[in-house]
Amino acid sequence: MSNFRLFDLNPEQYRAATHPEGALLILAGAGTGKTRVLTARIAWLVSQGVDPASILAVTFTNKAAREMRERIAAALTSQQAKAMTLCTFHSLCVRLLRCDASLLGYKENFSIFDESDQMGLIKKIASRIHDQKDPINPDLAKNIISKAKNLGSAFPEETGTALGSLFARYQEELRTLNAMDFDDLLLQARNLLSHHPEARARWQERYRFILIDEFQDTNRLQMELITHLVSDPINLCVVGDDDQSIYGWRGAESAHLMEFEHAFPDPEIITLEQNYRSTDLILSTANRLIKNNTRRRKKNLWSNEKEGEPVRVLSSSDDTNEAEFIADEILERKREQSWNQFAVLYRMNAQARLFETALRERKIPYRVVGGKSFFDRREIKDVMAYLSALLNPDDDAALLRVLTTPPRGVGKISLQRLMEVSVQQKKTLFQILQQPGAHDDFSTKVQEAIQRFSEEWEALKIRLQTPGHDPGALLGELLKEVGYYNDLRKSCKKEEEADARENNVRELLQSLTGYCQRSPREGMQGFLDNMLLQREKEEEEEVSDGVTLITLHAAKGLEFSHVYLVGLEDGLLPHERSKQEGTVDEERRLCYVGITRARKTLTITHCRTRKKFGGVISCKPSPFLLEMAGEGVEQGSMEAILSQPLEEEDVGDAFARMRSQIG
């Protein structure tokens, strides 16, 4: 077991890493080293003679998969690490479906629709079946379709309603386009394994040892997928923490962890409680809070870090003072530390605005997690549309984008007529473009443009399929020939923006070339899949130094030296809606996640008044504050702290800062 040392593990971690055959549930509390244990277990399996190619490790985010891959690469030989499958659930589904999509009536080169493609198709269908008495909200429709699919249904229960009709047509159009959305990937992979025994047996034979991270976040489809993949004898290891199950609103079912024994009889259950992140005072606060959830697997986090500052619970007169006090304190506490050691955690995105204002006024750098993703930029989506249309000519959405970016001499009215013909004849847009007589009534100029495009597109596809050609260079040539770069620059207000956008395209094409050189078998299709899957639930990573402003949901899995958990008010955390829906336990888990992000110091704040809808409302402290009260928690107010006289040393520091700012 080349570079991994089992003796570095604590006793519970060691037991988990060296567990023999059978089902294994690792209850890994926050900060207890679950990634380390998973890595150790994989390394141990390989050391016992398990073929690395038979190991499948599934995570929920690309970031977690990358971290695991890096650790595995350090623990094993590069050849062993490369042989195993380490991916997200959606990546796993794509892997299965690229091999066996034909069993489900799809071609293997199916397109994957991201959220904006999905919304575009839903809006298009909604406009066709619009009913003034029963108008369709596209966002609501998308959410309902997604929820239905995650519950295992590919079609609506009722087709008599406008929404049911939209759902049915949406699925029909996806089929016609040879496309799947992200929910379809899970649904169709489940269908593949449940309805096709030969495929199930083949994949079970391939993956004899399965490891699942963040098991508490699995939804029904993911659980069914795991159940179908596991073979006899059972070699399944799942890692999770029911106390950190905070995604119930998007279908996650912590019951899968709570009732693991019902699905996989006689499992070994190992609880990891030693925390390597936080001080014991912070963990005691978290333990007191979470024990108020009655339906949970008991665990009590502890740390060797017995020393540390008390947890502070501070009240503020209003939300403006709350933001300004915290910004001032961060400025005061910065000294030798980097800005990214500080984080402000909140329940709602709207709470960030006042903190942004306060930090800007003090010239403190910050980042709001959840900015516009690289993959959502116009130029990136353009190039990916070109790739998708080349690989799957049935992808109408991609082909339409190609025809209009830049315009190819086929106007909006002509394109609309072509699309109407494609719907009537139940053919794809590309088939209609190539169909003799389908555009005879168009002007000669438009007919020539269509013919020219069809011929050029076919020629490019042939060149791309010729061995030895560089797809990135070929696509770059095409974009230049059709005037894409000029069109892109025209849409930019400033020269710097135009340069940056053009550079983004060139970087993407270089990445395509590099990927095809490294993975010739997967080629362009593998690159496109990789790009699309990276968008799923992934925040754009920022490398600059700055205070982090982040929601509690997005903060899961992260850690910071100094944490400010703000807005602990009844109706905000727990959220008012949770009390009506009976999900206060999940809000408590959300608060627990926030507390356990802190390494050294934790400050929890609440306001007596808060601005809302242009007025001022009175606020009550969150009931969670009473639950976490106890030894190591100090109560106070921001006003009392501000009224205290400054120490002589602090006065000197304050004048020094003023001088540097003036300078």
Side-chain angles (χ1 to χ4, degrees):
M1 191 168 55
S2 58
N3 299 322
F4 205 91
R5 305 183 306 182
L6 285 174
F7 60 77
D8 285 344
L9 303 176
N10 68 36
E12 288 74 24
Q13 290 175 333
Y14 181 87
R15 276 179 58 215
T18 58
H19 170 75
E21 278 191 351
L24 170 64
L25 168 59
I26 303 172
L27 291 170
T32 56
K34 68 180 177 65
T35 307
R36 181 178 178 76
V37 172
L38 277 173
T39 307
R41 176 148 184 79
I42 291 169
W44 181 81
L45 287 171
V46 174
S47 76
Q48 300 303 298
V50 171
D51 180 2
S54 69
I55 297 175
L56 166 67
V58 185
T59 68
F60 268 82
T61 66
N62 295 296
K63 182 183 174 187
R66 280 196 301 273
E67 184 182 346
M68 178 102 53
R69 193 173 287 113
E70 287 165 7
R71 294 201 189 193
I72 293 293
L76 303 172
T77 67
S78 59
Q79 194 173 4
Q80 289 170 329
K82 199 172 181 182
M84 64 185 63
T85 303
L86 221 160
C87 59
T88 63
F89 269 104
H90 286 94
S91 298
L92 172 64
C93 293
V94 170
R95 184 180 289 255
L96 271 58
L97 293 167
R98 286 283 177 223
C99 292
D100 291 319
S102 58
L103 294 174
L104 300 166
Y106 288 87
K107 295 180 217 170
E108 272 81 7
N109 67 341
F110 62 86
S111 293
I112 301 170
F113 269 35
D114 68 8
E115 196 167 333
S116 62
D117 298 327
Q118 206 179 346
M119 281 301 292
L121 182 56
I122 287 172
K123 285 176 180 176
K124 184 176 80 172
I125 298 168
S127 68
R128 289 190 205 143
I129 60 174
H130 180 69
D131 182 349
Q132 287 187 341
K133 293 179 183 176
D134 187 16
I136 295 172
N137 179 325
D139 288 307
L140 177 65
K142 184 177 82 68
N143 291 337
I144 288 173
I145 290 170
S146 178
K147 191 169 184 179
K149 288 185 180 183
N150 278 289
L151 290 172
S153 176
F155 290 97
E157 292 180 8
E158 297 178 23
T159 52
T161 63
L163 198 56
S165 180
L166 183 145
F167 190 171
R169 291 197 198 183
Y170 172 74
Q171 286 303 98
E172 287 168 13
E173 292 227 15
L174 281 178
R175 276 276 184 177
T176 303
L177 297 170
N178 188 36
M180 299 186 201
D181 60 28
F182 275 103
D183 296 315
D184 283 326
L185 294 176
L186 288 169
L187 183 63
Q188 297 300 347
R190 189 283 310 265
N191 290 344
L192 172 71
L193 297 179
S194 61
H195 302 328
H196 298 276
E198 71 282 15
R200 180 170 66 248
R202 189 161 15 91
W203 288 108
Q204 284 180 345
E205 184 61 32
R206 168 71 193 276
Y207 297 125
R208 306 293 298 174
F209 293 83
I210 299 174
L211 301 95
I212 312 290
D213 192 13
E214 302 286 10
F215 188 68
Q216 78 281 350
D217 292 338
T218 51
N219 63 25
R220 185 183 299 182
L221 276 181
Q222 289 160 338
M223 184 61 179
E224 289 177 14
L225 192 68
I226 295 164
T227 306
H228 288 309
L229 269 177
V230 171
S231 57
D232 195 26
I234 293 173
N235 281 300
L236 172 68
C237 166
V238 306
V239 184
D241 180 8
D242 51 312
D243 290 337
Q244 295 186 76
S245 179
I246 58 173
Y247 298 118
W249 49 276
R250 68 182 186 204
E253 298 183 31
S254 59
H256 295 153
L257 188 145
M258 295 295 297
E259 298 162 10
F260 186 73
E261 298 92 329
H262 298 304
F264 305 99
D266 303 317
E268 177 86 5
I269 300 175
I270 297 171
T271 305
L272 306 182
E273 296 177 304
Q274 184 175 356
N275 176 286
Y276 296 91
R277 176 188 299 156
S278 310
T279 67
D280 221 33
L281 291 176
I282 291 170
L283 297 177
S284 298
T285 306
N287 290 332
R288 283 194 294 270
L289 172 72
I290 202 63
K291 74 177 183 183
N292 289 278
N293 276 2
T294 51
R295 184 170 158 74
R296 63 183 286 263
R297 289 188 183 264
K298 190 178 177 183
K299 65 190 80 66
N300 199 65
L301 297 184
W302 61 275
S303 167
N304 280 327
E305 289 290 323
K306 304 301 179 187
E307 301 298 321
E309 293 185 27
V311 172
R312 294 185 304 167
V313 175
L314 301 179
S315 65
S316 173
S317 58
D318 60 41
D319 46 357
T320 301
N321 285 337
E322 176 188 49
E324 291 182 346
F325 175 90
I326 289 172
D328 282 333
E329 189 165 276
I330 289 173
L331 192 63
E332 168 69 25
R333 297 174 81 167
K334 164 69 167 63
R335 298 189 181 174
E336 300 302 316
Q337 303 176 72
S338 62
W339 293 114
N340 56 25
Q341 296 296 307
F342 297 89
V344 179
L345 277 54
Y346 38 80
R347 177 65 177 85
M348 307 290 288
N349 270 310
Q351 291 170 258
R353 188 184 63 80
L354 288 173
F355 289 96
E356 284 196 72
T357 302
L359 293 170
R360 279 186 183 184
E361 286 173 353
R362 290 154 182 80
K363 297 183 173 57
I364 299 174
Y366 68 90
R367 52 192 171 185
V368 182
V369 173
K372 191 170 186 180
S373 168
F374 175 77
F375 304 108
D376 288 330
R377 290 170 182 161
R378 176 216 148 167
E379 65 273 19
I380 301 304
K381 291 181 75 67
D382 289 342
V383 178
M384 288 174 72
Y386 272 78
L387 275 174
S388 188
L390 284 164
L391 291 165
N392 177 15
D394 298 339
D395 187 342
D396 284 1
L399 196 63
L400 275 170
R401 193 165 188 132
V402 169
L403 281 164
T404 56
T405 317
R408 302 299 182 82
V410 187
K412 285 184 181 178
I413 295 172
S414 299
L415 282 172
Q416 191 173 342
R417 283 165 64 188
L418 287 167
M419 284 302 296
E420 286 169 359
V421 173
S422 77
V423 171
Q424 289 163 8
Q425 297 188 14
K426 294 192 173 177
K427 292 182 178 178
T428 65
L429 176 60
F430 193 67
Q431 289 171 326
I432 297 300
L433 288 176
Q434 294 188 310
Q435 183 174 299
H439 21 81
D440 285 352
D441 56 342
F442 288 2
S443 69
T444 306
K445 191 177 177 183
V446 172
Q447 287 186 53
E448 287 173 352
I450 291 172
Q451 186 176 352
R452 187 166 57 250
F453 173 79
S454 299
E455 289 171 355
E456 288 173 355
W457 202 246
E458 283 296 336
L460 180 64
K461 283 169 66 180
I462 292 167
R463 287 178 70 191
L464 283 167
Q465 290 163 7
T466 306
H469 271 99
D470 175 353
L474 277 176
L475 197 49
E477 284 174 28
L478 172 68
L479 294 172
K480 192 174 181 181
E481 286 169 13
V482 300
Y484 174 77
Y485 292 114
N486 290 335
D487 186 64
L488 180 66
R489 297 189 80 85
K490 283 179 192 171
S491 68
C492 300
K493 293 178 181 177
K494 295 180 179 178
E495 190 74 18
E496 296 84 7
E497 182 192 356
D499 291 340
R501 286 181 178 274
E502 191 171 323
N503 190 53
N504 286 339
V505 174
R506 298 192 192 284
E507 281 187 16
L508 187 65
L509 295 176
Q510 286 170 8
S511 297
L512 170 61
T513 296
Y515 185 93
C516 292
Q517 288 171 350
R518 291 190 306 275
S519 310
R521 284 183 63 190
E522 287 86 0
M524 288 171 59
Q525 185 69 68
F527 177 78
L528 186 63
D529 289 347
N530 226 8
M531 289 289 291
L532 285 163
L533 291 166
Q534 279 186 53
R535 298 156 105 162
E536 188 229 353
K537 299 174 196 160
E538 199 69 79
E539 300 291 353
E540 184 183 5
E541 290 189 13
E542 303 207 27
V543 293
S544 59
D545 187 19
V547 175
T548 300
L549 304 181
I550 188 170
T551 64
L552 286 162
H553 281 104
K556 186 167 173 282
L558 304 178
E559 56 182 63
F560 308 92
S561 291
H562 309 287
V563 166
Y564 292 87
L565 177 51
V566 304
L568 262 284
E569 293 134 35
D570 196 13
L572 193 52
L573 186 65
H575 196 276
E576 190 63 40
R577 189 173 57 244
S578 70
K579 293 190 280 186
Q580 297 162 4
E581 297 174 353
T583 55
V584 171
D585 279 9
E586 182 154 323
E587 294 287 297
R588 188 177 283 109
R589 291 194 290 269
L590 195 56
C591 187
Y592 173 85
V593 165
I595 292 169
T596 54
R597 298 313 93 198
R599 285 198 294 257
K600 295 179 180 176
T601 71
L602 172 66
T603 301
I604 300 170
T605 69
H606 62 97
C607 300
R608 296 189 288 280
T609 62
R610 188 173 287 276
K611 296 181 192 71
K612 192 173 182 181
F613 306 129
V616 176
I617 60 167
S618 295
C619 304
K620 292 181 181 177
S622 169
F624 294 162
L625 293 173
L626 275 177
E627 296 175 0
M628 65 179 78
E631 189 179 349
V633 176
E634 291 184 351
Q635 307 274 348
S637 74
M638 294 178 186
E639 293 79 13
I641 292 173
L642 290 172
S643 65
Q644 291 173 0
L646 283 173
E647 299 284 339
E648 193 173 325
E649 183 185 344
D650 294 332
V651 173
D653 286 346
F655 277 117
R657 278 199 306 277
M658 286 170 65
R659 279 196 297 272
S660 69
Q661 286 177 353
I662 293 166

